[in-house]
């Protein structure tokens, strides 16, 4: 009982597993490679670090004030899903068609880390909604809040590790492999985008907004 007051292990395991499934660290590697696989290693490491920090910041923000922010703006989870889906669809079309990248390289690197890697791919509607649900489950208990915070940090550490060591994959698949991965990642992103939009429509129909 005393340990649970300072750390809720059950909530930690539940939140960690749920967020890993939703954010899918291994699944981010193909998208990460398709966007920055041709960049120098230092640039890839910087992009991975920035993407994880952006995601961590967004998830933390919604954990602390998510319900208040959504209520104040009158935004529901379906609206977040629809917006995230449309944004991912635009990125997916760029990957599939090979278009884009007319901006300077430095700005492009920053944009990639922020969008779509940091958000909405990592800190997407699913992760945000799950975080808000876990905050509700914590119900004011300090141990539960600490466990949720540790779970969020642990998941982002796993994500960073997957992207940080994606260079091993690059050495194996070479330039032609990166091009193929970009097309596959584009297709997967398009499917995720369609799923988000479909869930958004279902949410609006059900009145969950």
């Amino acid at each position: 009982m005393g340990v649970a007051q300072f750390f809720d292990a059950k909530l930690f395991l539940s939140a960690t597993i749920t967020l890993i499934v939703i954010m899918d660290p291994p699944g981010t590697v193909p998208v990460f490679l398709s966007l920055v696989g041709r960049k120098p290693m230092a640039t890839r490491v910087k992009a991975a670090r920035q993407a994880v920090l952006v995601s961590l910041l967004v998830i933390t923000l919604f954990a602390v004030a998510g319900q208040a922010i959504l209520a104040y703006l009158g935004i529901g989870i379906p609206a977040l899903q629809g917006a995230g889906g449309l944004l991912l669809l635009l990125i997916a079309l760029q990957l599939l068609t090979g278009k884009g990248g007319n901006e300077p390289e430095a700005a492009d690197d920053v944009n990639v880390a922020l969008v779509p890697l940091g958000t909405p791919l990592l800190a997407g509607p699913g992760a945000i909604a799950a975080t808000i649900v876990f905050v509700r489950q914590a119900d004011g208990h300090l141990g539960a809040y600490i466990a949720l915070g540790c779970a969020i940090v642990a998941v982002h550490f796993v994500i960073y590790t997957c992207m940080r060591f994606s260079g091993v994959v690059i050495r194996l698949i070479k330039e032609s492999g990166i091009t193929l991965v970009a097309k596959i990642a584009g297709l997967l992103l398009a499917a995720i985008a369609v799923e988000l939009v479909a869930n958004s429509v279902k949410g609006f129909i059900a009145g969950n907004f």
Side-chain angles (χ1 to χ4, degrees):
M1 186 68 174
V3 176
Q5 290 179 341
F6 294 99
F7 189 82
D8 190 335
K10 183 178 179 180
L11 181 63
F12 172 78
L13 289 175
S14 179
T16 300
I17 294 172
T18 301
L19 289 176
I20 284 181
V21 170
I22 292 175
M23 301 175 79
D24 189 16
T28 63
V29 173
V31 180
F32 180 75
L33 292 180
S34 68
L35 295 172
V36 298
R38 296 178 177 85
K39 306 289 185 180
M41 181 177 178
T43 302
R44 295 199 305 270
V45 172
K46 180 181 179 182
R49 182 172 64 250
Q50 290 178 334
V52 169
L53 288 177
V54 167
S55 176
L56 182 60
L57 177 63
V58 172
I59 294 295
T60 302
L61 176 64
F62 276 93
V64 173
Q67 297 182 71
I69 293 173
L70 295 181
Y72 177 77
L73 296 176
I75 298 174
I77 297 300
L80 283 178
Q81 291 175 322
L86 292 176
L87 183 56
L88 283 182
L89 185 59
L90 291 176
I91 302 297
L93 291 175
Q94 289 182 0
L95 291 176
L96 289 171
T97 60
K99 295 180 180 179
N102 294 324
E103 299 174 317
E105 182 173 321
D108 190 51
D109 292 339
V110 173
N111 289 338
V112 164
L114 299 179
V115 178
L117 288 176
T119 182
L121 187 60
L122 295 179
I128 290 173
T131 301
I132 292 176
V133 169
F134 282 120
V135 170
R136 291 174 180 171
Q137 290 182 9
D139 195 27
H141 295 93
L142 178 61
Y145 288 138
I146 293 175
L148 180 57
C150 290
I152 292 173
V153 172
V155 171
H156 282 83
F157 176 77
V158 173
I159 293 171
Y160 175 75
T161 301
C162 288
M163 292 193 294
R164 170 66 177 82
F165 294 101
S166 61
V168 177
V169 180
I170 294 176
R171 287 194 292 270
L172 293 175
I173 65 177
K174 308 298 183 182
E175 179 74 17
S176 58
I178 293 177
T179 301
L180 177 61
V181 165
K183 302 301 181 183
I184 296 175
L187 182 61
L188 293 176
L189 272 185
I192 294 173
V194 171
E195 184 69 23
L196 284 174
V197 173
N199 289 336
S200 174
V201 173
K202 291 178 182 176
F204 279 113
I205 293 176
N208 298 325
F209 53 87

